[in-house]
Coordinates of all heavy atoms in Angstrom, one line a residue:
M359 N 15.4 -32.7 -155.8 CA 15.2 -33.2 -154.5 C 13.7 -33.4 -154.3 O 12.9 -32.5 -154.2 CB 15.7 -32.2 -153.4 CG 15.2 -32.5 -152.0 SD 15.7 -31.3 -150.7 CE 16.6 -30.0 -151.5
P360 N 13.2 -34.7 -154.2 CA 11.8 -34.9 -154.0 C 11.4 -34.5 -152.5 O 12.2 -34.9 -151.6 CB 11.7 -36.4 -154.2 CG 12.9 -36.8 -154.9 CD 13.9 -35.9 -154.5
I361 N 10.3 -33.8 -152.4 CA 9.8 -33.5 -151.0 C 8.4 -34.0 -151.0 O 7.5 -33.6 -151.7 CB 9.9 -32.0 -150.8 CG1 11.3 -31.5 -150.9 CG2 9.3 -31.7 -149.4 CD1 11.4 -29.9 -150.9
L362 N 8.1 -34.9 -150.1 CA 6.8 -35.5 -149.9 C 6.2 -34.9 -148.6 O 6.8 -34.9 -147.6 CB 6.9 -37.0 -149.8 CG 7.6 -37.7 -151.0 CD1 7.9 -39.1 -150.6 CD2 6.7 -37.6 -152.2
Q363 N 4.9 -34.5 -148.7 CA 4.2 -34.1 -147.5 C 3.0 -35.1 -147.4 O 2.2 -35.3 -148.3 CB 3.6 -32.7 -147.7 CG 4.7 -31.6 -147.7 CD 4.0 -30.3 -147.7 OE1 3.1 -30.0 -147.0 NE2 4.6 -29.4 -148.5
V364 N 2.8 -35.6 -146.1 CA 1.8 -36.5 -145.8 C 1.0 -36.0 -144.6 O 1.6 -35.7 -143.6 CB 2.4 -37.9 -145.5 CG1 1.2 -38.9 -145.1 CG2 3.2 -38.4 -146.6
N365 N -0.3 -35.8 -144.8 CA -1.2 -35.4 -143.7 C -1.8 -36.6 -143.1 O -2.4 -37.5 -143.8 CB -2.3 -34.5 -144.3 CG -1.7 -33.2 -144.8 OD1 -0.9 -32.6 -144.2 ND2 -2.2 -32.8 -146.0
L366 N -1.7 -36.7 -141.8 CA -2.2 -37.9 -141.0 C -2.9 -37.4 -139.8 O -2.6 -36.4 -139.2 CB -1.0 -38.7 -140.5 CG 0.0 -39.3 -141.4 CD1 1.2 -39.8 -140.7 CD2 -0.7 -40.5 -142.2
L367 N -4.0 -38.2 -139.5 CA -4.6 -38.0 -138.2 C -3.7 -38.5 -137.1 O -2.9 -39.5 -137.3 CB -5.9 -38.7 -138.1 CG -7.0 -38.1 -139.0 CD1 -8.3 -39.0 -138.9 CD2 -7.3 -36.7 -138.7
E368 N -3.7 -37.9 -136.0 CA -2.8 -38.3 -134.8 C -3.2 -39.7 -134.4 O -4.2 -40.2 -134.7 CB -3.0 -37.3 -133.7 CG -4.5 -37.4 -133.1 CD -4.7 -36.4 -132.0 OE1 -3.8 -35.6 -131.6 OE2 -5.9 -36.3 -131.6
G369 N -2.2 -40.4 -133.8 CA -2.5 -41.7 -133.2 C -1.6 -42.8 -133.7 O -1.7 -43.9 -133.2
R370 N -0.7 -42.5 -134.7 CA 0.2 -43.6 -135.1 C 1.4 -43.6 -134.2 O 1.9 -42.6 -133.7 CB 0.6 -43.4 -136.5 CG -0.5 -44.0 -137.5 CD -0.9 -43.1 -138.5 NE -1.9 -43.7 -139.4 CZ -3.0 -43.0 -139.6 NH1 -3.2 -41.8 -139.0 NH2 -3.9 -43.4 -140.5
S371 N 2.0 -44.8 -134.1 CA 3.2 -44.9 -133.2 C 4.4 -44.4 -134.0 O 4.4 -44.2 -135.2 CB 3.4 -46.4 -132.9 OG 3.8 -47.1 -134.1
D372 N 5.5 -44.1 -133.2 CA 6.7 -43.7 -133.8 C 7.2 -44.7 -134.8 O 7.8 -44.4 -135.9 CB 7.8 -43.4 -132.8 CG 7.5 -42.2 -132.0 OD1 6.7 -41.3 -132.4 OD2 8.1 -42.0 -130.9
E373 N 7.0 -46.0 -134.5 CA 7.5 -47.1 -135.3 C 6.7 -47.1 -136.7 O 7.3 -47.3 -137.7 CB 7.3 -48.5 -134.7 CG 8.2 -48.7 -133.5 CD 7.7 -48.0 -132.2 OE1 6.6 -47.6 -132.1 OE2 8.6 -47.9 -131.3
Q374 N 5.4 -46.8 -136.6 CA 4.7 -46.7 -137.9 C 5.1 -45.6 -138.7 O 5.2 -45.7 -139.9 CB 3.2 -46.6 -137.5 CG 2.5 -47.9 -137.0 CD 1.1 -47.6 -136.5 OE1 0.8 -46.7 -135.8 NE2 0.2 -48.5 -137.0
K375 N 5.4 -44.4 -138.1 CA 5.8 -43.3 -138.8 C 7.2 -43.5 -139.4 O 7.5 -43.1 -140.6 CB 5.8 -42.0 -137.9 CG 4.4 -41.6 -137.6 CD 4.3 -40.3 -136.8 CE 4.4 -40.7 -135.3 NZ 4.2 -39.5 -134.5
E376 N 8.1 -44.2 -138.7 CA 9.4 -44.5 -139.3 C 9.3 -45.4 -140.5 O 9.9 -45.2 -141.5 CB 10.3 -45.2 -138.2 CG 10.8 -44.2 -137.1 CD 11.9 -43.3 -137.6 OE1 12.5 -43.5 -138.7 OE2 12.1 -42.2 -137.0
A377 N 8.4 -46.4 -140.4 CA 8.2 -47.3 -141.5 C 7.6 -46.6 -142.7 O 8.0 -46.8 -143.8 CB 7.2 -48.4 -141.1
L378 N 6.7 -45.7 -142.5 CA 6.1 -44.9 -143.6 C 7.2 -44.1 -144.3 O 7.3 -44.0 -145.5 CB 5.0 -44.0 -143.1 CG 4.3 -43.1 -144.1 CD1 3.7 -43.9 -145.2 CD2 3.3 -42.2 -143.5
I379 N 8.1 -43.4 -143.5 CA 9.1 -42.6 -144.1 C 10.1 -43.5 -144.9 O 10.5 -43.1 -146.0 CB 9.9 -41.9 -142.9 CG1 9.0 -40.8 -142.3 CG2 11.2 -41.3 -143.5 CD1 9.6 -40.2 -141.1
E380 N 10.4 -44.7 -144.4 CA 11.3 -45.6 -145.1 C 10.7 -46.0 -146.4 O 11.3 -46.0 -147.5 CB 11.6 -46.8 -144.2 CG 12.5 -46.5 -143.1 CD 12.7 -47.7 -142.2 OE1 12.5 -48.9 -142.6 OE2 13.1 -47.5 -141.0
E381 N 9.4 -46.4 -146.4 CA 8.7 -46.9 -147.6 C 8.5 -45.8 -148.6 O 8.7 -46.1 -149.8 CB 7.4 -47.5 -147.2 CG 7.5 -48.8 -146.4 CD 8.0 -50.0 -147.1 OE1 7.8 -50.0 -148.4 OE2 8.5 -50.9 -146.5
L382 N 8.2 -44.6 -148.2 CA 8.0 -43.5 -149.1 C 9.3 -43.2 -149.8 O 9.4 -42.9 -151.0 CB 7.4 -42.3 -148.5 CG 5.9 -42.5 -148.0 CD1 5.5 -41.3 -147.2 CD2 5.0 -42.6 -149.3
T383 N 10.4 -43.2 -149.0 CA 11.7 -42.9 -149.5 C 12.1 -43.9 -150.6 O 12.6 -43.6 -151.7 CB 12.8 -42.8 -148.4 OG1 12.4 -41.8 -147.5 CG2 14.2 -42.6 -148.9
A384 N 11.9 -45.2 -150.2 CA 12.2 -46.3 -151.2 C 11.4 -46.1 -152.5 O 12.0 -46.4 -153.6 CB 12.0 -47.6 -150.5
A385 N 10.2 -45.7 -152.4 CA 9.3 -45.6 -153.6 C 9.9 -44.4 -154.5 O 9.9 -44.6 -155.7 CB 7.9 -45.3 -153.2
C386 N 10.3 -43.4 -153.9 CA 10.9 -42.2 -154.6 C 12.2 -42.7 -155.3 O 12.4 -42.3 -156.5 CB 11.1 -41.0 -153.8 SG 9.7 -40.0 -153.5
V387 N 13.0 -43.4 -154.6 CA 14.3 -43.9 -155.2 C 14.0 -44.7 -156.4 O 14.6 -44.6 -157.5 CB 15.1 -44.6 -154.1 CG1 16.3 -45.3 -154.8 CG2 15.6 -43.7 -153.0
K388 N 13.0 -45.6 -156.3 CA 12.7 -46.6 -157.3 C 12.0 -45.8 -158.5 O 12.4 -46.0 -159.7 CB 11.7 -47.7 -156.8 CG 11.4 -48.7 -157.9 CD 10.5 -49.8 -157.3 CE 10.0 -50.7 -158.4 NZ 9.1 -51.7 -157.9
A389 N 11.0 -45.0 -158.2 CA 10.2 -44.4 -159.3 C 10.9 -43.3 -160.0 O 10.8 -43.1 -161.2 CB 8.9 -43.9 -158.7
L390 N 11.7 -42.5 -159.2 CA 12.3 -41.3 -159.8 C 13.8 -41.4 -160.0 O 14.5 -40.5 -160.5 CB 12.1 -40.1 -158.8 CG 10.6 -39.8 -158.5 CD1 10.5 -38.7 -157.5 CD2 9.8 -39.5 -159.8
N391 N 14.4 -42.6 -159.6 CA 15.8 -42.8 -159.6 C 16.5 -41.7 -158.8 O 17.6 -41.2 -159.2 CB 16.3 -42.9 -161.1 CG 17.7 -43.5 -161.2 OD1 18.0 -44.3 -160.3 ND2 18.5 -43.1 -162.1
A392 N 15.9 -41.2 -157.7 CA 16.5 -40.2 -156.9 C 17.4 -40.8 -155.9 O 17.2 -41.9 -155.4 CB 15.3 -39.4 -156.2
P393 N 18.5 -40.1 -155.6 CA 19.4 -40.5 -154.6 C 18.6 -40.5 -153.2 O 17.9 -39.6 -152.9 CB 20.5 -39.5 -154.5 CG 20.4 -38.8 -155.8 CD 19.0 -38.8 -156.3
K394 N 18.8 -41.6 -152.5 CA 18.1 -41.8 -151.2 C 18.3 -40.5 -150.3 O 17.4 -40.1 -149.6 CB 18.6 -43.0 -150.5 CG 17.9 -43.4 -149.2 CD 18.4 -44.7 -148.7 CE 17.6 -45.0 -147.4 NZ 18.1 -46.3 -146.9
E395 N 19.5 -40.0 -150.3 CA 19.9 -38.9 -149.4 C 19.1 -37.6 -149.8 O 19.1 -36.7 -149.0 CB 21.4 -38.7 -149.4 CG 22.2 -39.8 -148.9 CD 22.3 -41.0 -149.8 OE1 22.2 -40.8 -151.1 OE2 22.5 -42.1 -149.4
S396 N 18.6 -37.6 -151.0 CA 17.9 -36.3 -151.5 C 16.4 -36.3 -151.1 O 15.8 -35.3 -151.3 CB 18.1 -36.1 -153.0 OG 17.3 -37.0 -153.7
V397 N 15.9 -37.4 -150.7 CA 14.4 -37.5 -150.5 C 14.1 -36.9 -149.1 O 14.7 -37.3 -148.1 CB 14.0 -39.0 -150.6 CG1 12.5 -39.1 -150.3 CG2 14.3 -39.6 -152.0
R398 N 13.1 -36.1 -149.1 CA 12.6 -35.5 -147.8 C 11.2 -35.9 -147.7 O 10.4 -35.9 -148.6 CB 12.7 -33.9 -147.9 CG 14.1 -33.4 -148.3 CD 15.1 -33.6 -147.2 NE 16.3 -32.9 -147.4 CZ 17.4 -33.5 -147.9 NH1 17.4 -34.7 -148.3 NH2 18.5 -32.8 -148.1
V399 N 10.8 -36.3 -146.4 CA 9.4 -36.6 -146.1 C 9.0 -35.8 -144.9 O 9.7 -35.8 -143.9 CB 9.3 -38.2 -145.8 CG1 7.9 -38.5 -145.4 CG2 9.8 -39.0 -147.0
M400 N 7.9 -35.1 -145.0 CA 7.3 -34.4 -143.9 C 6.0 -35.0 -143.5 O 5.1 -35.1 -144.4 CB 7.1 -32.9 -144.4 CG 8.4 -32.2 -144.6 SD 8.2 -30.4 -144.9 CE 7.5 -30.5 -146.6
L401 N 5.9 -35.4 -142.3 CA 4.6 -35.9 -141.8 C 3.9 -34.8 -141.0 O 4.5 -34.2 -140.0 CB 4.8 -37.1 -140.9 CG 5.6 -38.3 -141.5 CD1 5.7 -39.4 -140.5 CD2 4.9 -38.8 -142.8
N402 N 2.7 -34.5 -141.4 CA 1.9 -33.4 -140.7 C 0.8 -34.1 -139.9 O -0.1 -34.6 -140.6 CB 1.4 -32.4 -141.7 CG 2.5 -31.8 -142.5 OD1 3.4 -31.2 -141.9 ND2 2.3 -31.8 -143.8
E403 N 0.9 -34.2 -138.6 CA -0.1 -34.8 -137.8 C -1.1 -33.8 -137.4 O -0.8 -32.7 -137.0 CB 0.4 -35.5 -136.6 CG 1.2 -36.8 -136.9 CD 1.5 -37.5 -135.6 OE1 2.5 -37.0 -135.0 OE2 0.9 -38.5 -135.3
M404 N -2.4 -34.1 -137.4 CA -3.4 -33.2 -137.0 C -4.3 -33.8 -136.0 O -4.6 -35.1 -136.0 CB -4.2 -32.6 -138.1 CG -5.1 -33.6 -138.8 SD -6.0 -32.9 -140.2 CE -4.7 -33.0 -141.5
P405 N -4.8 -33.0 -135.0 CA -5.7 -33.6 -134.0 C -7.0 -34.1 -134.8 O -7.5 -33.5 -135.7 CB -6.0 -32.4 -133.1 CG -4.9 -31.5 -133.3 CD -4.5 -31.7 -134.7
K406 N -7.6 -35.1 -134.3 CA -8.8 -35.7 -134.9 C -10.0 -34.7 -134.9 O -10.8 -34.8 -135.8 CB -9.2 -37.0 -134.2 CG -8.2 -38.1 -134.4 CD -8.5 -39.4 -133.7 CE -7.5 -40.4 -134.0 NZ -7.8 -41.7 -133.4
Q407 N -10.0 -33.8 -133.9 CA -11.1 -32.8 -133.9 C -10.9 -31.7 -135.0 O -11.8 -30.9 -135.2 CB -11.3 -32.2 -132.5 CG -10.1 -31.4 -132.0 CD -9.1 -32.2 -131.2 OE1 -9.0 -33.4 -131.3 NE2 -8.3 -31.5 -130.4
N408 N -9.7 -31.7 -135.7 CA -9.4 -30.7 -136.7 C -9.6 -31.3 -138.1 O -9.3 -30.7 -139.1 CB -8.0 -30.2 -136.6 CG -7.8 -29.3 -135.4 OD1 -8.7 -29.1 -134.6 ND2 -6.6 -28.8 -135.2
F409 N -10.2 -32.5 -138.2 CA -10.5 -33.1 -139.5 C -11.9 -33.5 -139.6 O -12.4 -34.3 -138.8 CB -9.5 -34.3 -139.7 CG -9.6 -34.9 -141.1 CD1 -8.9 -34.4 -142.1 CD2 -10.4 -36.0 -141.3 CE1 -8.9 -34.9 -143.4 CE2 -10.4 -36.6 -142.6 CZ -9.7 -36.1 -143.6
G410 N -12.6 -33.1 -140.6 CA -14.0 -33.4 -140.8 C -14.3 -34.4 -141.8 O -13.7 -34.4 -142.9
I411 N -15.3 -35.2 -141.6 CA -15.8 -36.2 -142.5 C -17.3 -36.2 -142.5 O -17.9 -36.4 -141.5 CB -15.3 -37.7 -142.1 CG1 -13.8 -37.7 -142.0 CG2 -15.9 -38.7 -143.1 CD1 -13.3 -39.0 -141.3
G412 N -17.9 -35.8 -143.6 CA -19.3 -35.8 -143.7 C -20.0 -34.9 -142.7 O -21.1 -35.2 -142.2
G413 N -19.4 -33.8 -142.4 CA -20.0 -32.8 -141.4 C -19.7 -33.0 -140.0 O -20.3 -32.3 -139.1
H414 N -18.9 -34.0 -139.7 CA -18.5 -34.3 -138.3 C -17.0 -34.4 -138.2 O -16.4 -34.9 -139.1 CB -19.2 -35.6 -137.8 CG -20.7 -35.5 -137.9 ND1 -21.5 -34.8 -137.0 CD2 -21.5 -36.1 -138.7 CE1 -22.7 -34.9 -137.3 NE2 -22.8 -35.7 -138.4
S415 N -16.5 -34.1 -137.0 CA -15.1 -34.3 -136.8 C -14.7 -35.8 -136.7 O -15.6 -36.6 -136.3 CB -14.6 -33.6 -135.5 OG -15.0 -34.4 -134.4
A416 N -13.5 -36.2 -137.1 CA -13.1 -37.6 -137.0 C -13.1 -38.0 -135.6 O -13.4 -39.2 -135.3 CB -11.7 -37.7 -137.6
K417 N -12.9 -37.1 -134.6 CA -12.9 -37.5 -133.2 C -14.4 -37.9 -132.8 O -14.6 -39.0 -132.2 CB -12.5 -36.3 -132.3 CG -12.5 -36.6 -130.9 CD -11.9 -35.5 -130.1 CE -11.9 -35.9 -128.6 NZ -11.3 -34.8 -127.8
K418 N -15.3 -37.1 -133.3 CA -16.7 -37.4 -132.9 C -17.1 -38.8 -133.6 O -17.9 -39.5 -133.0 CB -17.7 -36.3 -133.4 CG -19.1 -36.5 -133.1 CD -20.0 -35.3 -133.5 CE -21.4 -35.6 -133.1 NZ -22.2 -34.4 -133.6
L419 N -16.6 -39.0 -134.7 CA -17.0 -40.3 -135.4 C -16.2 -41.5 -135.0 O -16.4 -42.6 -135.4 CB -16.7 -40.1 -137.0 CG -17.6 -39.1 -137.6 CD1 -17.2 -38.9 -139.1 CD2 -19.1 -39.5 -137.6
G420 N -15.2 -41.2 -134.1 CA -14.4 -42.3 -133.5 C -13.4 -42.9 -134.5 O -13.0 -44.0 -134.4
K421 N -12.9 -42.0 -135.4 CA -11.9 -42.4 -136.4 C -10.5 -42.3 -135.9 O -10.2 -41.6 -135.0 CB -12.1 -41.6 -137.7 CG -13.4 -41.7 -138.3 CD -13.5 -42.9 -139.1 CE -14.9 -43.0 -139.8 NZ -15.1 -44.2 -140.5

């Protein structure tokens, strides 16, 4: 059973997250010949102030 974990900064729409889950699932089915029903995708969203880039939070940098 493939299990994919994706770390994302907050701010994507539900539609974007659904599309990502669909595309990642399809990629596992194609690359691993895994049954679609066995693929698990976990999206971990984090606040922008909890992610640093070059010594500053993503929130401070406007990312």
Side-chain angles (χ1 to χ4, degrees):
M359 164 184 5
I361 302 172
L362 304 166
Q363 291 188 44
V364 180
N365 295 314
L366 299 168
L367 292 177
E368 65 187 356
R370 277 131 180 131
S371 69
D372 289 345
E373 292 79 16
Q374 289 173 312
K375 290 183 271 187
E376 286 288 340
L378 179 59
I379 290 168
E380 288 176 20
E381 293 290 334
L382 290 172
T383 299
C386 278
V387 169
K388 180 179 177 183
L390 303 176
N391 199 30
K394 185 177 181 178
E395 297 75 25
S396 73
V397 179
R398 306 293 189 262
V399 178
M400 293 185 288
L401 302 181
N402 303 308
E403 287 189 285
M404 66 182 81
K406 293 179 180 184
Q407 64 268 22
N408 290 1
F409 186 81
I411 303 167
H414 300 285
S415 72
K417 181 176 182 177
K418 182 177 181 180
L419 295 172
K421 300 282 183 183

